[in-house]
Amino acid sequence: MTRHRFTIAALYHFTPFPDPEPLKASLLEKCRAHGICGTLLLAQEGINGTIAGQDNDIHAIIAEIKALPGCASLEWKLSYADAPPFHRMKIRLKKEIVTMGQPTIDPLKSVGRYVTPEAWNALITDPDTIVIDTRNDYEVAIGSFKRAIDPGTKSFRDFPDWFRQFRAQQAQQGRKAKLAMFCTGGIRCEKATAFAREEGFEEVYHLKGGILKYLETVPEAESLWQGDCFVFDHRVSVQHGLKPGEYALCHACRMPLSPDDRTSPLYVEGESCPHCHHTRNATQRARYAARQHQMALAQARGTVHLGQPSGTERDE
């Protein structure tokens, strides 16, 4: 069995944290003591994030998080990498652990019905089911499920407006469809399915564990997933079996780049890519080039440049 140097844990849990500030200091101290890197988000509604480290240390931190008030049923998934997925540890205090901007939505009160990865194919191949990808456009662009609708959102904050337009179209057609929603690890669907139910849809389903659990669980020969799955660390994307994908990240605009993108004459590592070449000026490119040079020097020394982006610098 192949042994990997780093264990990666994607985790979230909705539970009331009336005062998350003391939790931040305590968790940060424990993560640093265990050599953990990554990002955790804390809010009054719970915890969310992705962290990486040695396997024993990751399990120790998961145990610490599960011991927090109301976190015994923490949702978490493991994957593995040979290179460090993050370069530093950050814990941020936020208004929401996944930002939808709808203060009345409470996943602890109402969510969609969970569907296991094993049962997901039957649901989304049912012609009466409308399949909705709740992720953002740059994520959907590199992979999604067959038949899935792409809302074309730039941010999860855009999803409610898109969904209300979708609801209006459904009403014009005189139907209230059965909905199947999915996202990377499951957290966005906690809010998206709750929102859909608040908007009047009764049959709303949610892929439990998200795409990551599906890719880990369902054999590739039986899979309805097409392409790669964007992830929020230096791997950029994963494939079936959670193997690292073929995408890299543009350090100028943070867009995922396919192997073909990286053969474009508009691609200069660390400076520009086909997505952003025409939107960056000479001053910006010079700054990016200087950063890339310093990163290369740091890599040659076997260290990490402090200005190097950590993970993908995006929240789910």
Side-chain angles (χ1 to χ4, degrees):
M1 180 178 177
T2 303
R3 294 186 63 85
H4 298 277
R5 292 177 57 205
F6 298 94
T7 296
I8 305 163
L11 58 94
Y12 75 87
H13 190 63
F14 285 94
T15 190
F17 288 151
D19 183 12
E21 179 77 47
L23 299 179
K24 175 183 176 180
S26 174
L27 272 178
L28 187 58
E29 180 182 357
K30 290 169 182 175
C31 285
R32 286 175 173 168
H34 283 278
I36 301 297
C37 291
T39 300
L40 291 174
L41 306 180
L42 288 170
Q44 291 187 344
E45 66 179 8
I47 185 169
N48 174 31
T50 307
I51 54 176
Q54 299 301 306
D55 193 70
N56 289 344
D57 293 307
I58 284 292
H59 281 88
I61 292 300
I62 288 174
E64 294 282 0
I65 295 173
K66 291 180 71 173
L68 295 175
C71 288
S73 57
L74 177 76
E75 179 78 20
W76 54 285
K77 292 168 288 297
L78 297 181
S79 55
Y80 305 91
D82 293 321
F86 305 100
H87 296 308
R88 60 184 71 90
M89 185 66 217
K90 296 179 290 186
I91 300 183
R92 295 174 174 167
L93 297 179
K94 307 277 281 186
K95 289 185 178 180
E96 300 177 67
I97 56 173
V98 58
T99 304
M100 191 184 207
Q102 299 292 316
T104 63
I105 297 299
D106 184 356
L108 293 176
K109 294 180 180 178
S110 175
V111 292
R113 304 176 205 174
Y114 295 106
V115 179
T116 64
E118 294 84 356
W120 183 248
N121 285 0
L123 174 64
I124 67 173
T125 53
D126 182 341
D128 293 328
T129 301
I130 293 180
V131 187
I132 299 175
D133 194 330
T134 68
R135 301 172 304 151
N136 298 324
D137 55 3
Y138 61 90
E139 300 169 84
V140 180
I142 72 171
S144 192
F145 282 107
K146 293 180 180 180
R147 296 186 60 238
I149 294 175
D150 173 11
T153 54
K154 300 290 184 186
S155 159
F156 192 46
R157 283 182 173 273
D158 300 334
F159 185 81
D161 286 343
W162 175 86
F163 190 84
R164 288 182 175 121
Q165 294 175 7
F166 166 81
R167 182 197 60 188
Q169 293 169 355
Q170 292 290 302
Q172 288 177 354
Q173 297 170 13
R175 59 187 299 217
K176 195 174 289 184
K178 177 169 61 176
L179 306 181
M181 295 182 169
F182 64 92
C183 59
T184 309
I187 185 171
R188 273 178 282 194
C189 287
E190 299 282 0
K191 287 193 173 181
T193 59
F195 183 79
R197 295 195 64 185
E198 187 174 87
E199 292 292 306
F201 286 83
E202 296 175 1
E203 277 199 272
V204 184
Y205 299 87
H206 169 178
L207 175 57
K208 186 170 178 58
I211 301 162
L212 295 179
K213 194 64 179 177
Y214 182 93
L215 293 179
E216 178 187 6
T217 305
V218 176
E220 186 171 358
E222 301 172 15
S223 175
L224 298 180
W225 177 262
Q226 299 175 318
D228 282 23
C229 175
F230 183 90
V231 290
F232 296 83
D233 59 63
H234 278 301
R235 293 173 298 171
V236 183
S237 71
V238 295
Q239 302 175 339
H240 288 91
L242 301 183
K243 297 180 295 185
E246 298 182 338
Y247 282 78
L249 204 68
C250 174
H251 288 163
C253 68
R254 322 305 299 150
M255 290 294 290
L257 304 175
S258 69
D260 285 344
D261 289 330
R262 302 197 295 278
T263 65
S264 167
L266 301 181
Y267 173 67
V268 179
E269 186 178 5
E271 296 181 41
S272 67
C273 75
H275 300 287
C276 69
H277 178 81
H278 299 295
T279 65
R280 298 299 192 266
N281 59 39
T283 301
Q284 289 172 312
R285 289 199 186 97
R287 187 170 72 248
Y288 299 151
R291 180 181 65 183
Q292 184 66 24
H293 178 65
Q294 293 300 318
M295 286 168 54
L297 291 176
Q299 185 176 19
R301 295 191 300 266
T303 61
V304 176
H305 180 242
L306 292 178
Q308 183 164 338
S310 179
T312 61
E313 297 294 342
R314 298 179 187 263
D315 294 338
E316 265 211 285

